[in-house]
Amino acid sequence: MEGSAVSDSQDGQIASPRRAPSQQRSRERVERMLAAASALIAEQGSDAMRMGEVAERAGVSIGSLYQFFPDKRAIIWALAERYTAESQACIAAALAEVNDAEGLRQAFSELVDIYYRLFLAEPVMRDIWSGTQADKALRELELADSRANAEFLTAVLKRLRPSADPEALETTAFLIWQMGEAAMRLAISVDRQEGDRLVAAYKRMALRELLGA
Amino acid sequence: MEGSAVSDSQDGQIASPRRAPSQQRSRERVERMLAAASALIAEQGSDAMRMGEVAERAGVSIGSLYQFFPDKRAIIWALAERYTAESQACIAAALAEVNDAEGLRQAFSELVDIYYRLFLAEPVMRDIWSGTQADKALRELELADSRANAEFLTAVLKRLRPSADPEALETTAFLIWQMGEAAMRLAISVDRQEGDRLVAAYKRMALRELLGA
DNA sequence: TGGCAAATGTGAGGATTACTCACATTTGCA
DNA sequence: TGCAAATGTGAGTAATCCTCACATTTGCCA
């Protein structure tokens, strides 16, 4: 029982694949399952997504689905993980080279715009991040992701303001990041015009905090 | 069929009592149902709350429960509505008399503290606001509540800065309010010390925005 | 190449739970 | 007192997640 590759989701813990697909065939099938889940979430939201429907659309049996995903949340979690990994790389790249205030202003402004467009365009991401508050495992993932992203920001701030209290900078960066996600969620849930204004206001506030020591 | 007091919850719409309790007896029973639900949510969270358990603990049958609440969400919604009504009155009172910058600073600071303590102390409120993102009806309620609260803040800002663009003030107030709720949710999901720092940082940022024109 | 263990595939059925409904009881009122 | 409306009941229905005993396929080695 030890040494098994199995890792079930329990309580609020992370739900990784029940069994890692080792053969080419199963890897392809798992991809089909994820694609089906993604499509269904885009159409109706993750809450309305039925496991039977995912299996049917992926052209596999319900048993196969559960061979690789211990439960429904695990599928959503797997999709969320992909998004976070992608966006984290993007964020790291955008902030890595920033060395002055003007650079930070530009990079941050661009990041906010990218995120906003992503939220507007990606129903799956939107849905998953919405459910983030209710699901413990997803919330952990989002918090971890947010901390990681905030760290890139902290690194920039430490470069720009070496004399400031590092802990305070960390708190500020983390808060700004989380508030950004809150602002985005808010922005996409009101009409487009108000959403744009809200994002612009957030950007202004965040930059004031980041730049105006 | 017209003129009935029935108002079922549909899709993402508001779920009000299926039938308004008109007799003393039923009013007391509805109170017991709400109390039972509240206790169960405090113990295990609204997701784990079972309708059968609510009925049992309230000492009524499952049928009686559904006589007054069209579905599970309606009970949660009813509890949420009480909280929002209470806190809105409190906020309105705190902001009504504010007429200068120093008054705003004090009133806002106090409000943030009150809210933070409330979030820390009230597991039910915490749980309900967490689920707010996933449930359409709850989200509507929270948005409406947030807009109402933001309006009190907007009124103050208009008094303090009569020459500013009113629409911009509204956007700012709404955003600050929503970010506050995000900051609170974040603060209670990390350890207490970091939570305190996050709330303090939020307060500082919000006040800078509110006061420093 | 044959054979075998491990990996993968299957879907009927178990278990849980929100919710319904046909019928019983209680209440307010003329 | 009688009766209609309000209220109360809980076994039963439906929907859905997930399991499990068994079938099939694959990789691998003698």
Side-chain angles (χ1 to χ4, degrees), chain A residues 41-42 80 83-84 86-88 91 110-133 142 145-146 149 176-190 192 195-196 199 202, chain B residues 133 139 185:
Chain A
I41 291 173
Y83 276 112
T84 62
E86 252 179 68
S87 60
Q88 234 180 73
I91 290 157
E110 214 168 296
L111 271 181
V112 170
D113 291 340
I114 290 174
Y115 250 70
Y116 186 35
R117 274 200 293 273
L118 214 61
F119 263 69
L120 281 171
E122 280 286 349
V124 180
M125 194 182 185
R126 195 156 59 190
D127 181 283
I128 288 174
W129 285 138
S130 289
T132 236
Q133 307 290 334
E142 199 219 349
D145 180 52
S146 211
N149 290 333
I176 281 182
W177 202 266
Q178 279 279 321
M179 283 177 158
E181 289 180 3
M184 300 289 170
R185 276 198 290 262
L186 178 61
I188 58 174
S189 72
V190 298
R192 181 63 193 270
D196 289 355
V199 170
Y202 162 72
Chain B
Q133 307 291 335
R139 174 145 190 85
R185 276 197 291 261

Coordinates of all heavy atoms in Angstrom, one line a residue, chain A residues 41-42 80 83-84 86-88 91 110-133 142 145-146 149 176-190 192 195-196 199 202, chain B residues 133 139 185:
Chain A
I41 N -17.8 22.9 -19.1 CA -17.8 24.0 -18.1 C -18.1 25.3 -18.9 O -18.8 26.1 -18.4 CB -16.4 24.0 -17.4 CG1 -16.3 22.8 -16.5 CG2 -16.3 25.3 -16.7 CD1 -14.9 22.7 -15.8
A42 N -17.5 25.4 -20.1 CA -17.7 26.6 -20.8 C -19.1 26.8 -21.2 O -19.7 27.9 -21.2 CB -16.8 26.6 -22.1
A80 N -7.7 23.8 -13.6 CA -7.2 25.0 -12.9 C -5.7 25.1 -12.8 O -5.1 26.1 -13.0 CB -7.8 25.1 -11.5
Y83 N -4.1 26.3 -16.0 CA -4.2 27.8 -16.2 C -3.2 28.5 -15.3 O -2.5 29.4 -15.7 CB -5.6 28.2 -15.8 CG -6.6 28.1 -17.0 CD1 -7.6 27.2 -16.9 CD2 -6.4 28.9 -18.1 CE1 -8.5 27.1 -17.9 CE2 -7.3 28.8 -19.1 CZ -8.4 27.9 -19.1 OH -9.3 27.8 -20.1
T84 N -3.1 28.1 -14.0 CA -2.2 28.8 -13.1 C -0.7 28.6 -13.6 O 0.0 29.6 -13.5 CB -2.3 28.3 -11.7 OG1 -2.0 26.9 -11.6 CG2 -3.7 28.5 -11.2
E86 N 0.4 28.2 -16.6 CA 0.6 29.1 -17.8 C 0.7 30.5 -17.4 O 1.7 31.2 -17.8 CB -0.6 29.0 -18.7 CG -0.4 28.2 -20.0 CD -1.7 28.1 -20.8 OE1 -2.1 29.2 -21.3 OE2 -2.2 27.0 -20.9
S87 N -0.2 31.0 -16.6 CA -0.2 32.4 -16.3 C 1.0 32.8 -15.4 O 1.5 33.9 -15.5 CB -1.5 32.9 -15.6 OG -1.7 32.2 -14.4
Q88 N 1.4 31.9 -14.5 CA 2.5 32.2 -13.7 C 3.8 32.4 -14.5 O 4.5 33.4 -14.2 CB 2.8 31.0 -12.7 CG 2.8 31.5 -11.3 CD 3.1 30.4 -10.3 OE1 4.2 29.9 -10.2 NE2 2.0 30.0 -9.6
I91 N 3.6 35.9 -16.0 CA 3.8 36.9 -15.0 C 5.2 37.1 -14.6 O 5.8 38.2 -14.5 CB 2.9 36.7 -13.7 CG1 1.4 36.9 -14.1 CG2 3.3 37.5 -12.6 CD1 0.5 36.1 -13.2
E110 N 0.2 46.4 -18.0 CA 0.0 45.4 -19.0 C -0.5 44.1 -18.5 O -1.4 43.5 -19.1 CB 1.4 45.2 -19.7 CG 1.3 44.9 -21.2 CD 2.7 44.9 -21.8 OE1 3.3 46.1 -21.8 OE2 3.2 43.9 -22.3
L111 N 0.0 43.7 -17.3 CA -0.5 42.5 -16.7 C -1.9 42.5 -16.4 O -2.7 41.6 -16.6 CB 0.3 42.2 -15.4 CG 1.6 41.4 -15.6 CD1 2.3 41.2 -14.2 CD2 1.3 40.1 -16.2
V112 N -2.3 43.7 -15.8 CA -3.7 43.8 -15.5 C -4.6 43.7 -16.7 O -5.6 43.0 -16.7 CB -4.0 45.2 -14.8 CG1 -5.5 45.5 -14.6 CG2 -3.3 45.2 -13.4
D113 N -4.2 44.4 -17.8 CA -4.9 44.3 -19.0 C -5.0 42.9 -19.5 O -6.1 42.4 -19.9 CB -4.3 45.2 -20.1 CG -4.4 46.6 -19.8 OD1 -5.3 47.0 -19.0 OD2 -3.7 47.4 -20.3
I114 N -3.9 42.2 -19.5 CA -3.9 40.8 -20.0 C -4.9 39.9 -19.2 O -5.7 39.2 -19.7 CB -2.5 40.2 -19.9 CG1 -1.6 40.8 -20.9 CG2 -2.5 38.7 -20.1 CD1 -0.1 40.4 -20.8
Y115 N -4.8 40.1 -17.8 CA -5.7 39.3 -17.0 C -7.1 39.6 -17.2 O -8.0 38.7 -17.2 CB -5.3 39.6 -15.5 CG -4.7 38.4 -14.8 CD1 -3.4 38.1 -15.1 CD2 -5.3 37.7 -13.8 CE1 -2.8 37.0 -14.5 CE2 -4.7 36.7 -13.2 CZ -3.4 36.3 -13.5 OH -2.9 35.2 -12.9
Y116 N -7.4 40.9 -17.4 CA -8.8 41.3 -17.6 C -9.3 40.7 -18.9 O -10.4 40.1 -19.0 CB -8.9 42.8 -17.7 CG -10.3 43.4 -17.8 CD1 -11.3 42.8 -17.1 CD2 -10.5 44.5 -18.5 CE1 -12.6 43.3 -17.2 CE2 -11.8 45.1 -18.6 CZ -12.8 44.5 -17.9 OH -14.1 45.0 -18.0
R117 N -8.5 40.7 -19.9 CA -8.9 40.1 -21.2 C -9.1 38.6 -21.1 O -10.1 38.1 -21.6 CB -7.9 40.4 -22.3 CG -8.1 41.8 -23.0 CD -7.4 41.8 -24.3 NE -6.0 41.8 -24.2 CZ -5.2 42.9 -24.0 NH1 -5.7 44.1 -23.9 NH2 -3.9 42.7 -23.8
L118 N -8.2 38.0 -20.3 CA -8.3 36.6 -20.1 C -9.6 36.2 -19.4 O -10.3 35.3 -19.8 CB -7.1 36.1 -19.2 CG -6.5 34.8 -19.5 CD1 -6.0 34.7 -20.9 CD2 -5.4 34.5 -18.5
F119 N -9.9 37.0 -18.4 CA -11.2 36.7 -17.6 C -12.4 36.9 -18.5 O -13.3 36.1 -18.4 CB -11.3 37.7 -16.4 CG -10.8 37.1 -15.1 CD1 -9.5 36.9 -14.9 CD2 -11.7 36.9 -14.1 CE1 -9.0 36.3 -13.7 CE2 -11.2 36.3 -12.9 CZ -9.9 36.1 -12.7
L120 N -12.3 37.9 -19.4 CA -13.5 38.2 -20.2 C -13.6 37.1 -21.3 O -14.7 36.7 -21.6 CB -13.3 39.5 -20.9 CG -13.7 40.8 -20.1 CD1 -13.2 42.0 -20.8 CD2 -15.1 40.8 -19.8
A121 N -12.5 36.6 -21.8 CA -12.6 35.7 -22.9 C -12.7 34.2 -22.5 O -13.2 33.4 -23.3 CB -11.3 35.9 -23.8
E122 N -12.3 33.8 -21.3 CA -12.2 32.4 -21.0 C -13.2 32.0 -20.0 O -13.1 32.1 -18.8 CB -10.8 32.1 -20.3 CG -9.7 32.0 -21.4 CD -9.8 30.6 -22.1 OE1 -10.6 29.8 -21.7 OE2 -9.1 30.4 -23.1
P123 N -14.3 31.5 -20.5 CA -15.4 31.1 -19.5 C -15.0 30.1 -18.6 O -15.4 30.0 -17.4 CB -16.5 30.6 -20.5 CG -15.9 30.3 -21.8 CD -14.7 31.2 -21.9
V124 N -14.1 29.2 -19.0 CA -13.7 28.1 -18.1 C -12.9 28.7 -16.9 O -13.2 28.4 -15.7 CB -12.8 27.1 -18.8 CG1 -12.4 26.0 -17.9 CG2 -13.6 26.5 -20.0
M125 N -11.9 29.5 -17.2 CA -11.1 30.1 -16.2 C -12.0 30.9 -15.2 O -11.9 30.8 -14.0 CB -10.1 31.0 -16.8 CG -9.0 31.4 -15.8 SD -7.9 32.6 -16.7 CE -6.7 32.7 -15.4
R126 N -12.9 31.6 -15.8 CA -13.8 32.5 -15.0 C -14.6 31.6 -14.1 O -14.7 31.9 -12.9 CB -14.8 33.2 -16.0 CG -15.5 34.3 -15.4 CD -16.0 35.2 -16.5 NE -16.8 34.6 -17.5 CZ -17.2 35.2 -18.6 NH1 -16.7 36.4 -18.9 NH2 -18.0 34.6 -19.5
D127 N -15.2 30.5 -14.6 CA -16.0 29.6 -13.8 C -15.2 29.0 -12.7 O -15.6 29.0 -11.5 CB -16.6 28.5 -14.7 CG -17.5 27.6 -13.9 OD1 -16.9 26.7 -13.1 OD2 -18.7 27.7 -13.9
I128 N -14.0 28.6 -13.0 CA -13.2 27.9 -12.0 C -12.8 28.9 -10.9 O -12.8 28.6 -9.7 CB -11.9 27.3 -12.7 CG1 -12.4 26.1 -13.5 CG2 -10.9 26.9 -11.6 CD1 -11.3 25.5 -14.3
W129 N -12.4 30.1 -11.3 CA -12.0 31.1 -10.3 C -13.2 31.5 -9.4 O -13.0 31.9 -8.3 CB -11.3 32.3 -10.9 CG -9.9 32.0 -11.3 CD1 -9.3 32.4 -12.4 CD2 -8.9 31.2 -10.6 NE1 -8.0 32.0 -12.5 CE2 -7.8 31.2 -11.4 CE3 -8.9 30.5 -9.4 CZ2 -6.6 30.6 -11.0 CZ3 -7.7 29.9 -9.0 CH2 -6.6 29.9 -9.8
S130 N -14.3 31.4 -10.0 CA -15.5 31.8 -9.2 C -15.8 30.7 -8.1 O -16.1 31.1 -7.0 CB -16.8 31.8 -10.1 OG -16.7 33.0 -10.9
G131 N -15.6 29.5 -8.5 CA -15.8 28.4 -7.5 C -14.7 28.3 -6.5 O -14.9 27.5 -5.5
T132 N -13.7 29.1 -6.7 CA -12.5 29.0 -5.9 C -12.8 29.2 -4.4 O -12.1 28.7 -3.5 CB -11.5 30.1 -6.4 OG1 -10.3 29.4 -6.7 CG2 -11.3 31.2 -5.4
Q133 N -13.8 30.0 -4.1 CA -14.1 30.3 -2.7 C -14.8 29.1 -2.0 O -14.6 28.9 -0.8 CB -15.0 31.5 -2.5 CG -14.5 32.7 -3.3 CD -13.3 33.3 -2.7 OE1 -13.1 33.2 -1.5 NE2 -12.5 34.0 -3.5
E142 N -5.4 28.5 -5.5 CA -5.4 29.9 -5.8 C -4.6 30.7 -4.9 O -3.8 31.6 -5.3 CB -6.9 30.5 -5.8 CG -7.0 31.7 -6.6 CD -7.9 32.7 -5.9 OE1 -8.6 32.4 -4.9 OE2 -7.9 33.9 -6.3
D145 N -1.0 30.1 -5.8 CA -0.7 30.8 -7.0 C -0.5 32.2 -6.7 O 0.4 32.9 -7.2 CB -1.9 30.5 -8.0 CG -1.7 31.2 -9.3 OD1 -0.6 31.0 -9.9 OD2 -2.5 32.0 -9.7
S146 N -1.4 32.8 -5.9 CA -1.4 34.2 -5.7 C -0.1 34.6 -4.9 O 0.5 35.6 -5.2 CB -2.6 34.6 -4.8 OG -3.0 35.9 -5.1
N149 N 2.7 34.5 -7.4 CA 2.7 35.7 -8.2 C 3.1 37.0 -7.4 O 3.8 37.8 -7.9 CB 1.3 35.9 -8.8 CG 0.9 34.9 -9.8 OD1 1.8 34.3 -10.4 ND2 -0.3 34.6 -10.0
I176 N -2.4 43.3 -2.9 CA -2.7 43.9 -4.2 C -3.0 42.9 -5.2 O -4.0 43.0 -6.0 CB -1.4 44.7 -4.7 CG1 -1.4 46.1 -4.0 CG2 -1.5 44.9 -6.2 CD1 -0.3 47.0 -4.4
W177 N -2.4 41.7 -5.2 CA -2.7 40.7 -6.1 C -4.1 40.1 -5.9 O -4.9 40.0 -6.8 CB -1.6 39.5 -6.0 CG -1.6 38.8 -7.3 CD1 -2.3 37.7 -7.5 CD2 -0.9 39.2 -8.4 NE1 -2.1 37.3 -8.8 CE2 -1.3 38.2 -9.4 CE3 -0.1 40.2 -8.8 CZ2 -0.8 38.2 -10.7 CZ3 0.4 40.2 -10.1 CH2 0.1 39.3 -11.0
Q178 N -4.4 39.8 -4.6 CA -5.7 39.3 -4.3 C -6.8 40.3 -4.6 O -7.9 39.9 -5.1 CB -5.8 38.9 -2.8 CG -5.1 37.6 -2.5 CD -6.1 36.4 -2.8 OE1 -7.3 36.5 -2.6 NE2 -5.5 35.4 -3.4
M179 N -6.5 41.5 -4.4 CA -7.5 42.6 -4.7 C -7.7 42.7 -6.2 O -8.8 42.9 -6.6 CB -7.1 43.9 -4.1 CG -7.2 44.0 -2.6 SD -6.6 45.6 -2.1 CE -7.4 45.9 -0.6
G180 N -6.7 42.5 -6.9 CA -6.8 42.5 -8.4 C -7.7 41.4 -8.8 O -8.6 41.6 -9.7
E181 N -7.6 40.2 -8.3 CA -8.5 39.1 -8.7 C -9.9 39.4 -8.3 O -10.8 39.2 -9.0 CB -8.0 37.8 -8.0 CG -6.7 37.3 -8.7 CD -6.2 36.0 -8.2 OE1 -6.8 35.4 -7.3 OE2 -5.1 35.6 -8.6
A182 N -10.1 40.0 -7.1 CA -11.4 40.4 -6.7 C -12.0 41.5 -7.6 O -13.2 41.4 -8.0 CB -11.4 41.0 -5.3
A183 N -11.2 42.4 -8.0 CA -11.6 43.5 -8.9 C -12.0 42.9 -10.3 O -13.0 43.3 -10.9 CB -10.5 44.5 -9.1
M184 N -11.3 41.9 -10.8 CA -11.6 41.3 -12.0 C -12.9 40.5 -11.9 O -13.8 40.7 -12.8 CB -10.5 40.2 -12.4 CG -9.1 40.8 -12.5 SD -8.9 41.8 -14.0 CE -7.3 42.5 -13.7
R185 N -13.0 39.8 -10.9 CA -14.3 39.0 -10.7 C -15.5 40.0 -10.7 O -16.5 39.7 -11.3 CB -14.3 38.2 -9.4 CG -13.6 36.9 -9.5 CD -13.9 36.0 -8.4 NE -13.3 36.4 -7.1 CZ -12.2 36.0 -6.6 NH1 -11.6 35.0 -7.3 NH2 -11.8 36.4 -5.5
L186 N -15.3 41.1 -10.0 CA -16.3 42.1 -9.9 C -16.6 42.6 -11.3 O -17.7 42.8 -11.8 CB -15.9 43.2 -8.9 CG -16.9 44.3 -8.8 CD1 -18.3 43.8 -8.3 CD2 -16.4 45.4 -7.9
A187 N -15.5 43.0 -12.0 CA -15.6 43.7 -13.3 C -16.4 42.8 -14.3 O -17.2 43.3 -15.1 CB -14.2 44.0 -13.8
I188 N -16.2 41.5 -14.3 CA -16.8 40.7 -15.3 C -18.3 40.4 -14.9 O -19.0 39.8 -15.7 CB -16.1 39.4 -15.6 CG1 -15.9 38.6 -14.3 CG2 -14.7 39.6 -16.2 CD1 -15.3 37.2 -14.5
S189 N -18.6 40.7 -13.7 CA -20.0 40.4 -13.3 C -20.9 41.6 -13.4 O -22.1 41.5 -13.1 CB -20.1 39.8 -11.9 OG -19.8 40.8 -10.9
V190 N -20.4 42.7 -13.8 CA -21.2 43.9 -14.1 C -21.1 44.2 -15.6 O -20.5 43.5 -16.3 CB -20.8 45.1 -13.3 CG1 -20.9 44.9 -11.8 CG2 -19.4 45.5 -13.7
R192 N -20.1 45.8 -19.2 CA -18.7 46.0 -19.7 C -18.2 47.3 -19.4 O -17.0 47.5 -19.0 CB -18.7 45.7 -21.2 CG -17.3 45.9 -21.9 CD -16.4 44.8 -21.3 NE -15.0 45.2 -21.7 CZ -14.4 44.7 -22.8 NH1 -15.1 43.9 -23.6 NH2 -13.2 45.1 -23.1
G195 N -17.4 47.6 -15.8 CA -16.2 46.8 -15.6 C -14.9 47.4 -16.0 O -14.0 47.4 -15.2
D196 N -14.9 48.1 -17.1 CA -13.7 48.8 -17.6 C -13.3 49.9 -16.6 O -12.2 50.0 -16.2 CB -14.0 49.4 -18.9 CG -14.1 48.4 -20.0 OD1 -13.8 47.2 -19.7 OD2 -14.4 48.7 -21.2
V199 N -11.8 48.3 -13.4 CA -10.4 47.8 -13.6 C -9.5 49.0 -13.7 O -8.4 48.9 -13.1 CB -10.4 46.9 -14.9 CG1 -8.9 46.6 -15.3 CG2 -11.1 45.6 -14.7
Y202 N -8.9 50.2 -10.2 CA -8.0 49.3 -9.5 C -6.6 49.5 -9.9 O -5.7 49.6 -9.1 CB -8.4 47.8 -9.8 CG -7.3 46.9 -9.4 CD1 -6.9 46.7 -8.0 CD2 -6.5 46.3 -10.4 CE1 -5.9 45.9 -7.7 CE2 -5.4 45.5 -10.0 CZ -5.1 45.2 -8.7 OH -4.1 44.4 -8.4
Chain B
Q133 N -19.6 33.4 -4.3 CA -19.2 33.4 -5.6 C -19.9 32.3 -6.5 O -20.1 32.5 -7.7 CB -17.7 33.3 -5.7 CG -16.9 34.2 -4.8 CD -16.9 35.7 -5.3 OE1 -17.1 35.9 -6.5 NE2 -16.8 36.6 -4.4
R139 N -24.8 35.8 -4.9 CA -23.9 36.8 -5.5 C -24.7 38.1 -5.8 O -24.2 39.2 -5.5 CB -23.3 36.3 -6.8 CG -22.5 37.3 -7.5 CD -21.3 36.6 -8.2 NE -20.4 37.7 -8.8 CZ -19.5 38.2 -8.1 NH1 -19.3 37.9 -6.8 NH2 -18.7 39.2 -8.6
R185 N -11.9 38.2 3.4 CA -11.9 36.8 3.1 C -10.5 36.2 3.1 O -10.3 35.1 3.6 CB -12.6 36.6 1.8 CG -14.1 36.5 1.8 CD -14.6 35.9 0.6 NE -14.4 36.7 -0.6 CZ -15.4 37.5 -1.1 NH1 -16.6 37.5 -0.6 NH2 -15.1 38.2 -2.2

